[in-house]
Amino acid sequence: MLFVLPFMVMAILFSGIWFVDFQPFSATVQEDAFIAFSLPASEWGGMLLFGFLLLCMAYLIFFFTNRYKLLDQQTTLPALLFVLLGSVVAIHLSDIYWLLSAFLIMMALARLQTAINHLYVNAPLFDFGALLMCAIIVCPKLSFLLLWAVAVLIFSGRSTFRDFAALLVGLLFPVGLLAFWGYWTDTLDTLPERYFRLLWNGEWLDALPASECIRLAILGTFLLFAVLLIFSRYAVLVVNQRRGLFSFISFSLFLLFIPVLFPVGYYEVLFLFTLPLSVLYAHYFITNRLFWLGDVFFLLFLLACAIDYIMP
């Protein structure tokens, strides 16, 4: 299945060009990112970069879910679910910075799983904090996730003073590099003002089209069943497996507050939701004993992925 994922990503991207007017990123975007940089000049280059980041995230999900045994068996199902849903949602992103930020958050989640499984090593916590802060620097509207970074340690068995100190040092390290860059380029005094301008720049979420309401209803109902199944199996889950799954649940809860607190695009938040959803849905499909219900939810999941093509 891992060999099939690149072909699935490219198929979804090409179909997005024809059906949902997907425009590969091909220009420099400055107003929605803290640090602007140039992207490939051609649409083909933008599409290749787009597909490469999606594939990296899919393979990363496969790697840490199997290495740290978040699921009851080794499987490529989380990567497959992420490619199906994440690729369809990602073609609606306004710029590539949200994709880069999601990639950094995925790496941070992987390092968090390492910290959960290695209780006496603080390097993963430093990496977790540094990667999360890098994602916030790329997209300042994710600043609310700083509270999640502190809260998730408490429920992950890493709540000692040394653990919080390692997290704090990791969070401050990218900030120090950014401050040094501002000092070197004589823009240090403009960094706070630019941060708050980017934080509140944009439009608040308003009414959603009918197709997106149907998609949210399907994904929300499926998520509710997946979370209830995890709580019903609380006693039989291994400690590290339980902590790892709860980290994804808490991440989903904190993501709900971002569109309420900051003006952010709908598809940007939904794409971030695909990171925990792929793992939680995979756990449901593997452990659910009502097979007919699992088949129904999988068909509904495919419907949620293809809703753009059915109701363009």
Side-chain angles (χ1 to χ4, degrees), residues 249-289:
I249 295 176
S250 63
F251 180 69
S252 302
L253 292 177
F254 276 82
L255 279 180
L256 291 174
F257 290 94
I258 292 181
V260 178
L261 298 175
F262 306 110
V264 63
Y266 162 74
Y267 289 106
E268 284 73 13
V269 177
L270 184 59
F271 182 71
L272 292 176
F273 263 105
T274 61
L275 308 183
L277 291 185
S278 59
V279 177
L280 299 177
Y281 288 175
H283 177 268
Y284 179 86
F285 283 130
I286 292 174
T287 58
N288 176 46
R289 293 296 176 262

Side-chain angles (χ1 to χ4, degrees), residues 13 17 21-30 32 37-54 57 86-102 139 267-268 271:
L13 295 186
I17 294 177
D21 195 24
F22 168 53
Q23 298 294 329
F25 312 116
S26 59
T28 300
V29 181
Q30 297 187 15
D32 291 328
F37 54 89
S38 297
L39 299 172
S42 66
E43 289 189 355
W44 286 104
M47 180 177 289
L48 288 176
L49 179 60
F50 187 92
F52 175 76
L53 289 176
L54 283 176
M57 296 171 68
S87 300
V88 171
V89 175
I91 60 179
H92 295 283
L93 296 180
S94 57
D95 56 64
I96 202 169
Y97 296 100
W98 283 93
L99 188 60
L100 290 173
S101 183
C139 293
Y267 289 106
E268 284 73 13
F271 182 71

Side-chain angles (χ1 to χ4, degrees), residues 146-174:
L146 291 174
L147 295 179
W148 168 73
V150 176
V152 75
L153 289 192
I154 300 176
F155 300 101
S156 300
R158 302 301 302 265
S159 55
T160 65
F161 175 78
R162 291 181 58 188
D163 296 335
F164 284 107
L167 175 66
L168 180 61
V169 173
L171 292 173
L172 294 178
F173 181 72

